[in-house]
Amino acid sequence: MPPLFSNSASGLFLPQTGTADAPLEQEILTLFDSMSAQLLRYAMSFGLTAHDGEDIIQEVFLALFHHLQKGRSRSNLRGWVFRVTHNLALKRRMGNRSRANVVQMEDFLPEQHTANDLTPEEEVLLGERQARLLAVYRVLPENERLCLQLRAEGLTYREIAQVVGVSLGTVSTLLTRSLARLARTEGR
């Protein structure tokens, strides 16, 4: 295996190559900087630790580097990296099944900041609402949770279908069903 280099700003390790690959390396580093947080959240939605998620993201971008270095398709790179993340996260989760360290969804949700002008009662109501929605989210079937997570990351229905490995119609059905369940929680 060739030696690796790191971009200290991004923390991404790629194979050390000649100057001919410098534009490709820069492209990969730019993609890493713009997408790594989204991919990490997605990987962690499989119940993985942040450390496992970071390892997966490294593997994804190394695979992307090799993919592009071989001159393979550049169409829908965003969908491609989410699909590779999906597959690697599933594989890692299966490997971790024997371990008892299950990560809760709260561990990868961004911190909720409330506006300073909320009264204590409003803060309590907001917290209760979030707890209800989280409880419904937890009991959704895995495909519905994954589709919701990917949609929240901004992927199109077509990209979600490719990542999850289902038809476009199935994505639409899964999202409609899960959003209806969440809406019922809200009394709508």
Side-chain angles (χ1 to χ4, degrees):
M1 176 181 218
L4 301 176
F5 83 93
S6 167
N7 176 323
S8 59
S10 68
L12 178 63
F13 291 90
L14 292 173
Q16 193 170 11
T17 60
T19 57
D21 284 328
L24 177 59
E25 292 166 2
Q26 188 56 51
E27 179 182 6
I28 299 296
L29 292 171
T30 300
L31 285 170
F32 178 86
D33 289 341
S34 68
M35 296 185 69
S36 60
Q38 291 177 312
L39 293 170
L40 180 60
R41 281 191 302 270
Y42 185 62
M44 291 177 67
S45 74
F46 285 83
L48 301 174
T49 64
H51 178 73
D52 283 343
E54 290 167 354
D55 285 348
I56 287 170
I57 303 312
Q58 288 284 334
E59 291 177 47
V60 166
F61 281 95
L62 182 59
L64 178 61
F65 178 78
H66 290 301
H67 174 84
L68 294 178
Q69 193 178 40
K70 293 175 183 174
R72 296 199 176 133
S73 174
R74 290 177 166 273
S75 68
N76 195 12
L77 288 180
R78 186 171 125 176
W80 189 93
V81 295
F82 269 98
R83 181 66 188 170
V84 173
T85 301
H86 178 92
N87 291 340
L88 291 175
L90 282 175
K91 185 185 286 188
R92 181 70 58 102
R93 184 177 69 184
M94 293 303 289
N96 290 348
R97 282 280 161 125
S98 61
R99 298 182 199 151
N101 61 346
V102 176
V103 177
Q104 296 298 319
M105 184 176 174
E106 295 89 353
D107 295 338
F108 67 89
L109 285 175
E111 279 189 38
Q112 298 296 319
H113 297 285
T114 59
N116 292 336
D117 58 346
L118 289 181
T119 66
E121 293 83 12
E122 291 171 329
E123 286 184 26
V124 168
L125 290 173
L126 179 62
E128 289 173 354
R129 176 179 181 245
Q130 289 173 339
R132 281 191 314 272
L133 290 171
L134 188 56
V136 171
Y137 177 85
R138 282 190 189 125
V139 298
L140 291 174
E142 184 176 41
N143 269 356
E144 288 183 30
R145 285 193 318 270
L146 294 174
C147 287
L148 276 175
Q149 180 74 27
L150 290 167
R151 188 68 180 136
E153 295 296 346
L155 273 71
T156 65
Y157 280 37
R158 188 171 308 284
E159 290 170 329
I160 294 168
Q162 291 171 344
V163 170
V164 180
V166 297
S167 72
L168 196 57
T170 300
V171 170
S172 178
T173 300
L174 293 173
L175 284 171
T176 300
R177 187 182 309 150
S178 59
L179 290 172
R181 287 180 183 158
L182 292 170
R184 281 193 302 270
T185 301
E186 293 288 289
R188 294 185 217 159

